Amino acid sequence: NLLFNLNKYYKLFLDKHYNSILKEWKNQSDTIGRKVRITTSAEQIIGKVSDIDQSGFLIIVVNSGKYKTITSGDCTYIEI
């Protein structure tokens, strides 16, 4: 099953069906909609994950209501 899925998504990638991969990634994500703490080398960001963008980055809504794109960092769930 693992090899089947790996092969499936690799073929989609080679055929440049990136939107199909992203759609499935979002469907399988348990992070979207959760309140999280993102820790980077420069800061801590607390907010709610609203989406995953075309590049695979998390989109967080912070307390001020602004959207912030997270390119890297440690993600910890605050609320389950």
Side-chain angles (χ1 to χ4, degrees), residues 13-64:
F13 176 78
L14 291 177
D15 293 338
K16 300 184 182 192
H17 294 286
Y18 307 124
N19 286 335
S20 296
I21 296 168
L22 182 61
K23 181 179 176 184
E24 185 63 25
W25 185 358
K26 288 180 182 186
N27 286 338
Q28 296 295 324
S29 174
D30 68 345
T31 305
I32 296 173
R34 291 215 186 189
K35 188 171 182 184
V36 296
R37 180 190 307 94
I38 305 295
T39 305
T40 71
S41 59
E43 64 183 328
Q44 278 197 0
I45 303 148
I46 294 176
K48 186 174 181 180
V49 178
S50 69
D51 203 358
I52 299 170
D53 75 7
Q54 290 292 106
S55 297
F57 301 143
L58 289 180
I59 307 298
I60 306 284
V61 180
V62 295
N63 291 338
S64 67

